[in-house]
Amino acid sequence: MKLSPLQTIVFIVILAGIAYGAYSATIDQLPDVSGTVVGNTTVNNSTNPTIGTVYLYDDTNNSSNTSVIIRKNTKIYKEDKNGKQTSVNMSSIKNGCKIDVYTVGDPTNTIPPQVISERIVIKAKK
């Protein structure tokens, strides 16, 4: 089967699109915010969707803090030294621990900025 030059170009573009799509779908998602926990609060109101807030010192920015809102549907995991993650609750987030936060939406334009967390990973100590 012989392809015309136009068919060859279309075929290459389609293959490149498939390769890029497969790559994009399988790469690990990078966290939106990473840093060290410098404080937290807990909300005890059972009707409130927010169960607490974590104040995070952004290690990559070195000049800002972020308020991370934790809701009832936020998934919290603790990572061991082998990279395996196990599900934990908010009480596992302690001052001084390093966390990665995957957020929903954009940060607010407040000081400090606030983000709503979808998933939090407590990093293993090195």
mmCIF file of all heavy atoms in Angstrom, residues 32-67:
data_model
loop_
_atom_site.group_PDB
_atom_site.id
_atom_site.type_symbol
_atom_site.label_atom_id
_atom_site.label_comp_id
_atom_site.label_asym_id
_atom_site.label_seq_id
_atom_site.Cartn_x
_atom_site.Cartn_y
_atom_site.Cartn_z
ATOM 1 N N ASP A 32 -0.162 21.260 43.219
ATOM 2 C CA ASP A 32 -0.355 22.686 42.988
ATOM 3 C C ASP A 32 0.421 23.515 44.011
ATOM 4 O O ASP A 32 0.905 24.597 43.697
ATOM 5 C CB ASP A 32 -1.846 23.026 43.054
ATOM 6 C CG ASP A 32 -2.616 22.297 41.965
ATOM 7 O OD1 ASP A 32 -2.237 22.421 40.791
ATOM 8 O OD2 ASP A 32 -3.589 21.595 42.287
ATOM 9 N N VAL A 33 0.515 23.018 45.239
ATOM 10 C CA VAL A 33 1.241 23.707 46.308
ATOM 11 C C VAL A 33 2.007 22.656 47.106
ATOM 12 O O VAL A 33 1.467 21.586 47.409
ATOM 13 C CB VAL A 33 0.274 24.451 47.255
ATOM 14 C CG1 VAL A 33 1.035 25.183 48.350
ATOM 15 C CG2 VAL A 33 -0.613 25.421 46.492
ATOM 16 N N SER A 34 3.245 22.945 47.446
ATOM 17 C CA SER A 34 4.046 22.086 48.317
ATOM 18 C C SER A 34 4.665 22.958 49.384
ATOM 19 O O SER A 34 5.000 24.110 49.121
ATOM 20 C CB SER A 34 5.156 21.386 47.535
ATOM 21 O OG SER A 34 4.620 20.486 46.613
ATOM 22 N N GLY A 35 4.828 22.402 50.571
ATOM 23 C CA GLY A 35 5.466 23.187 51.607
ATOM 24 C C GLY A 35 5.453 22.527 52.959
ATOM 25 O O GLY A 35 5.133 21.349 53.099
ATOM 26 N N THR A 36 5.776 23.325 53.971
ATOM 27 C CA THR A 36 5.858 22.876 55.349
ATOM 28 C C THR A 36 4.678 23.426 56.128
ATOM 29 O O THR A 36 4.380 24.614 56.034
ATOM 30 C CB THR A 36 7.171 23.376 55.984
ATOM 31 O OG1 THR A 36 8.260 22.927 55.180
ATOM 32 C CG2 THR A 36 7.337 22.848 57.400
ATOM 33 N N VAL A 37 4.030 22.577 56.903
ATOM 34 C CA VAL A 37 2.884 22.990 57.709
ATOM 35 C C VAL A 37 3.382 23.847 58.868
ATOM 36 O O VAL A 37 4.272 23.447 59.613
ATOM 37 C CB VAL A 37 2.107 21.766 58.239
ATOM 38 C CG1 VAL A 37 0.985 22.187 59.164
ATOM 39 C CG2 VAL A 37 1.577 20.938 57.092
ATOM 40 N N VAL A 38 2.810 25.056 59.013
ATOM 41 C CA VAL A 38 3.199 25.957 60.099
ATOM 42 C C VAL A 38 2.046 26.201 61.070
ATOM 43 O O VAL A 38 2.219 26.910 62.058
ATOM 44 C CB VAL A 38 3.747 27.304 59.568
ATOM 45 C CG1 VAL A 38 5.059 27.090 58.846
ATOM 46 C CG2 VAL A 38 2.742 28.001 58.682
ATOM 47 N N GLY A 39 0.889 25.610 60.821
ATOM 48 C CA GLY A 39 -0.246 25.757 61.730
ATOM 49 C C GLY A 39 -1.486 25.111 61.146
ATOM 50 O O GLY A 39 -1.563 24.853 59.949
ATOM 51 N N ASN A 40 -2.447 24.805 62.009
ATOM 52 C CA ASN A 40 -3.701 24.260 61.514
ATOM 53 C C ASN A 40 -4.831 24.544 62.490
ATOM 54 O O ASN A 40 -4.606 24.848 63.656
ATOM 55 C CB ASN A 40 -3.595 22.764 61.207
ATOM 56 C CG ASN A 40 -3.229 21.930 62.398
ATOM 57 O OD1 ASN A 40 -3.449 22.312 63.532
ATOM 58 N ND2 ASN A 40 -2.647 20.780 62.147
ATOM 59 N N THR A 41 -6.046 24.460 61.989
ATOM 60 C CA THR A 41 -7.245 24.627 62.806
ATOM 61 C C THR A 41 -8.206 23.504 62.467
ATOM 62 O O THR A 41 -8.142 22.917 61.390
ATOM 63 C CB THR A 41 -7.948 25.969 62.530
ATOM 64 O OG1 THR A 41 -8.364 25.988 61.158
ATOM 65 C CG2 THR A 41 -7.059 27.145 62.809
ATOM 66 N N THR A 42 -9.106 23.210 63.382
ATOM 67 C CA THR A 42 -10.131 22.197 63.157
ATOM 68 C C THR A 42 -11.488 22.810 63.435
ATOM 69 O O THR A 42 -11.657 23.516 64.428
ATOM 70 C CB THR A 42 -9.909 20.983 64.085
ATOM 71 O OG1 THR A 42 -8.594 20.476 63.844
ATOM 72 C CG2 THR A 42 -10.912 19.896 63.812
ATOM 73 N N VAL A 43 -12.447 22.534 62.572
ATOM 74 C CA VAL A 43 -13.811 23.006 62.734
ATOM 75 C C VAL A 43 -14.651 21.831 63.221
ATOM 76 O O VAL A 43 -14.630 20.768 62.613
ATOM 77 C CB VAL A 43 -14.371 23.549 61.400
ATOM 78 C CG1 VAL A 43 -15.800 23.984 61.551
ATOM 79 C CG2 VAL A 43 -13.507 24.684 60.899
ATOM 80 N N ASN A 44 -15.387 22.003 64.318
ATOM 81 C CA ASN A 44 -16.162 20.904 64.883
ATOM 82 C C ASN A 44 -17.628 20.930 64.497
ATOM 83 O O ASN A 44 -18.401 20.112 64.959
ATOM 84 C CB ASN A 44 -16.051 20.916 66.412
ATOM 85 C CG ASN A 44 -14.651 20.551 66.863
ATOM 86 O OD1 ASN A 44 -13.999 19.725 66.232
ATOM 87 N ND2 ASN A 44 -14.184 21.169 67.925
ATOM 88 N N ASN A 45 -18.053 21.839 63.640
ATOM 89 C CA ASN A 45 -19.436 21.952 63.226
ATOM 90 C C ASN A 45 -19.731 20.875 62.186
ATOM 91 O O ASN A 45 -19.167 20.878 61.096
ATOM 92 C CB ASN A 45 -19.692 23.348 62.650
ATOM 93 C CG ASN A 45 -21.133 23.580 62.303
ATOM 94 O OD1 ASN A 45 -21.934 22.663 62.282
ATOM 95 N ND2 ASN A 45 -21.453 24.827 62.010
ATOM 96 N N SER A 46 -20.627 19.940 62.477
ATOM 97 C CA SER A 46 -20.888 18.814 61.581
ATOM 98 C C SER A 46 -21.629 19.219 60.310
ATOM 99 O O SER A 46 -21.632 18.482 59.341
ATOM 100 C CB SER A 46 -21.665 17.728 62.316
ATOM 101 O OG SER A 46 -22.929 18.226 62.702
ATOM 102 N N THR A 47 -22.275 20.389 60.276
ATOM 103 C CA THR A 47 -22.988 20.809 59.073
ATOM 104 C C THR A 47 -22.100 21.569 58.102
ATOM 105 O O THR A 47 -22.460 21.776 56.958
ATOM 106 C CB THR A 47 -24.194 21.706 59.444
ATOM 107 O OG1 THR A 47 -23.709 22.869 60.119
ATOM 108 C CG2 THR A 47 -25.172 20.956 60.317
ATOM 109 N N ASN A 48 -20.926 21.989 58.539
ATOM 110 C CA ASN A 48 -20.001 22.740 57.702
ATOM 111 C C ASN A 48 -19.215 21.758 56.825
ATOM 112 O O ASN A 48 -18.676 20.779 57.327
ATOM 113 C CB ASN A 48 -19.048 23.534 58.604
ATOM 114 C CG ASN A 48 -18.241 24.555 57.846
ATOM 115 O OD1 ASN A 48 -18.065 24.457 56.644
ATOM 116 N ND2 ASN A 48 -17.744 25.531 58.568
ATOM 117 N N PRO A 49 -19.123 22.004 55.500
ATOM 118 C CA PRO A 49 -18.344 21.097 54.649
ATOM 119 C C PRO A 49 -16.841 21.185 54.903
ATOM 120 O O PRO A 49 -16.100 20.292 54.547
ATOM 121 C CB PRO A 49 -18.687 21.551 53.227
ATOM 122 C CG PRO A 49 -19.131 22.960 53.365
ATOM 123 C CD PRO A 49 -19.749 23.077 54.738
ATOM 124 N N THR A 50 -16.395 22.278 55.544
ATOM 125 C CA THR A 50 -14.974 22.444 55.854
ATOM 126 C C THR A 50 -14.676 21.812 57.210
ATOM 127 O O THR A 50 -15.337 22.111 58.185
ATOM 128 C CB THR A 50 -14.597 23.939 55.893
ATOM 129 O OG1 THR A 50 -14.865 24.506 54.613
ATOM 130 C CG2 THR A 50 -13.145 24.131 56.240
ATOM 131 N N ILE A 51 -13.681 20.909 57.259
ATOM 132 C CA ILE A 51 -13.323 20.283 58.538
ATOM 133 C C ILE A 51 -12.097 20.928 59.165
ATOM 134 O O ILE A 51 -11.812 20.708 60.319
ATOM 135 C CB ILE A 51 -13.108 18.761 58.395
ATOM 136 C CG1 ILE A 51 -11.982 18.442 57.419
ATOM 137 C CG2 ILE A 51 -14.401 18.085 57.998
ATOM 138 C CD1 ILE A 51 -11.588 16.984 57.407
ATOM 139 N N GLY A 52 -11.381 21.739 58.383
ATOM 140 C CA GLY A 52 -10.220 22.403 58.954
ATOM 141 C C GLY A 52 -9.427 23.166 57.920
ATOM 142 O O GLY A 52 -9.729 23.155 56.730
ATOM 143 N N THR A 53 -8.392 23.829 58.406
ATOM 144 C CA THR A 53 -7.505 24.611 57.563
ATOM 145 C C THR A 53 -6.073 24.334 57.982
ATOM 146 O O THR A 53 -5.782 24.206 59.170
ATOM 147 C CB THR A 53 -7.796 26.121 57.728
ATOM 148 O OG1 THR A 53 -9.164 26.354 57.434
ATOM 149 C CG2 THR A 53 -6.945 26.945 56.808
ATOM 150 N N VAL A 54 -5.201 24.232 57.006
ATOM 151 C CA VAL A 54 -3.772 24.060 57.257
ATOM 152 C C VAL A 54 -3.070 25.282 56.689
ATOM 153 O O VAL A 54 -3.357 25.705 55.574
ATOM 154 C CB VAL A 54 -3.241 22.777 56.592
ATOM 155 C CG1 VAL A 54 -1.736 22.692 56.693
ATOM 156 C CG2 VAL A 54 -3.879 21.547 57.186
ATOM 157 N N TYR A 55 -2.158 25.845 57.467
ATOM 158 C CA TYR A 55 -1.363 26.982 57.006
ATOM 159 C C TYR A 55 -0.011 26.448 56.552
ATOM 160 O O TYR A 55 0.685 25.778 57.299
ATOM 161 C CB TYR A 55 -1.231 28.026 58.104
ATOM 162 C CG TYR A 55 -2.598 28.493 58.538
ATOM 163 C CD1 TYR A 55 -3.192 27.972 59.680
ATOM 164 C CD2 TYR A 55 -3.317 29.409 57.771
ATOM 165 C CE1 TYR A 55 -4.472 28.365 60.063
ATOM 166 C CE2 TYR A 55 -4.594 29.802 58.150
ATOM 167 C CZ TYR A 55 -5.164 29.277 59.290
ATOM 168 O OH TYR A 55 -6.423 29.659 59.648
ATOM 169 N N LEU A 56 0.316 26.741 55.324
ATOM 170 C CA LEU A 56 1.454 26.123 54.675
ATOM 171 C C LEU A 56 2.472 27.173 54.252
ATOM 172 O O LEU A 56 2.123 28.163 53.607
ATOM 173 C CB LEU A 56 0.933 25.376 53.440
ATOM 174 C CG LEU A 56 1.854 24.474 52.681
ATOM 175 C CD1 LEU A 56 2.261 23.294 53.563
ATOM 176 C CD2 LEU A 56 1.150 23.954 51.445
ATOM 177 N N TYR A 57 3.738 26.957 54.648
ATOM 178 C CA TYR A 57 4.832 27.795 54.178
ATOM 179 C C TYR A 57 5.311 27.206 52.864
ATOM 180 O O TYR A 57 5.764 26.060 52.813
ATOM 181 C CB TYR A 57 5.973 27.833 55.200
ATOM 182 C CG TYR A 57 7.154 28.636 54.741
ATOM 183 C CD1 TYR A 57 7.097 30.028 54.734
ATOM 184 C CD2 TYR A 57 8.312 28.024 54.297
ATOM 185 C CE1 TYR A 57 8.169 30.786 54.298
ATOM 186 C CE2 TYR A 57 9.392 28.766 53.867
ATOM 187 C CZ TYR A 57 9.316 30.139 53.864
ATOM 188 O OH TYR A 57 10.373 30.887 53.431
ATOM 189 N N ASP A 58 5.190 27.971 51.797
ATOM 190 C CA ASP A 58 5.535 27.503 50.461
ATOM 191 C C ASP A 58 7.051 27.452 50.310
ATOM 192 O O ASP A 58 7.697 28.492 50.199
ATOM 193 C CB ASP A 58 4.895 28.428 49.423
ATOM 194 C CG ASP A 58 5.039 27.917 48.008
ATOM 195 O OD1 ASP A 58 5.773 26.940 47.789
ATOM 196 O OD2 ASP A 58 4.404 28.504 47.117
ATOM 197 N N ASP A 59 7.617 26.258 50.304
ATOM 198 C CA ASP A 59 9.071 26.084 50.211
ATOM 199 C C ASP A 59 9.634 26.548 48.873
ATOM 200 O O ASP A 59 10.774 26.973 48.788
ATOM 201 C CB ASP A 59 9.454 24.619 50.424
ATOM 202 C CG ASP A 59 9.161 24.138 51.832
ATOM 203 O OD1 ASP A 59 9.163 24.972 52.760
ATOM 204 O OD2 ASP A 59 8.920 22.930 52.007
ATOM 205 N N THR A 60 8.840 26.464 47.807
ATOM 206 C CA THR A 60 9.342 26.837 46.490
ATOM 207 C C THR A 60 9.372 28.349 46.302
ATOM 208 O O THR A 60 10.204 28.873 45.583
ATOM 209 C CB THR A 60 8.479 26.220 45.375
ATOM 210 O OG1 THR A 60 7.129 26.653 45.545
ATOM 211 C CG2 THR A 60 8.549 24.712 45.420
ATOM 212 N N ASN A 61 8.465 29.066 46.966
ATOM 213 C CA ASN A 61 8.376 30.515 46.800
ATOM 214 C C ASN A 61 9.225 31.257 47.826
ATOM 215 O O ASN A 61 9.669 32.377 47.586
ATOM 216 C CB ASN A 61 6.914 30.945 46.916
ATOM 217 C CG ASN A 61 6.667 32.304 46.349
ATOM 218 O OD1 ASN A 61 7.577 33.018 45.981
ATOM 219 N ND2 ASN A 61 5.412 32.680 46.290
ATOM 220 N N ASN A 62 9.445 30.668 48.989
ATOM 221 C CA ASN A 62 10.246 31.217 50.083
ATOM 222 C C ASN A 62 9.779 32.583 50.586
ATOM 223 O O ASN A 62 10.511 33.258 51.275
ATOM 224 C CB ASN A 62 11.725 31.315 49.696
ATOM 225 C CG ASN A 62 12.373 29.958 49.608
ATOM 226 O OD1 ASN A 62 11.954 29.010 50.248
ATOM 227 N ND2 ASN A 62 13.405 29.856 48.806
ATOM 228 N N SER A 63 8.593 33.005 50.210
ATOM 229 C CA SER A 63 8.147 34.305 50.694
ATOM 230 C C SER A 63 6.661 34.341 50.995
ATOM 231 O O SER A 63 6.149 35.384 51.344
ATOM 232 C CB SER A 63 8.480 35.387 49.661
ATOM 233 O OG SER A 63 7.764 35.140 48.479
ATOM 234 N N SER A 64 5.973 33.227 50.833
ATOM 235 C CA SER A 64 4.530 33.299 51.028
ATOM 236 C C SER A 64 4.009 32.101 51.805
ATOM 237 O O SER A 64 4.616 31.041 51.832
ATOM 238 C CB SER A 64 3.822 33.379 49.672
ATOM 239 O OG SER A 64 3.944 32.160 48.979
ATOM 240 N N ASN A 65 2.893 32.332 52.437
ATOM 241 C CA ASN A 65 2.155 31.265 53.099
ATOM 242 C C ASN A 65 0.846 31.080 52.340
ATOM 243 O O ASN A 65 0.370 31.991 51.671
ATOM 244 C CB ASN A 65 1.856 31.624 54.550
ATOM 245 C CG ASN A 65 3.113 31.659 55.381
ATOM 246 O OD1 ASN A 65 4.044 30.905 55.139
ATOM 247 N ND2 ASN A 65 3.156 32.535 56.354
ATOM 248 N N THR A 66 0.268 29.905 52.482
ATOM 249 C CA THR A 66 -1.002 29.604 51.844
ATOM 250 C C THR A 66 -1.907 28.964 52.865
ATOM 251 O O THR A 66 -1.470 28.137 53.664
ATOM 252 C CB THR A 66 -0.800 28.649 50.645
ATOM 253 O OG1 THR A 66 0.123 29.234 49.732
ATOM 254 C CG2 THR A 66 -2.105 28.372 49.933
ATOM 255 N N SER A 67 -3.172 29.323 52.833
ATOM 256 C CA SER A 67 -4.177 28.710 53.685
ATOM 257 C C SER A 67 -4.867 27.625 52.868
ATOM 258 O O SER A 67 -5.493 27.913 51.844
ATOM 259 C CB SER A 67 -5.179 29.774 54.131
ATOM 260 O OG SER A 67 -6.211 29.188 54.868
#
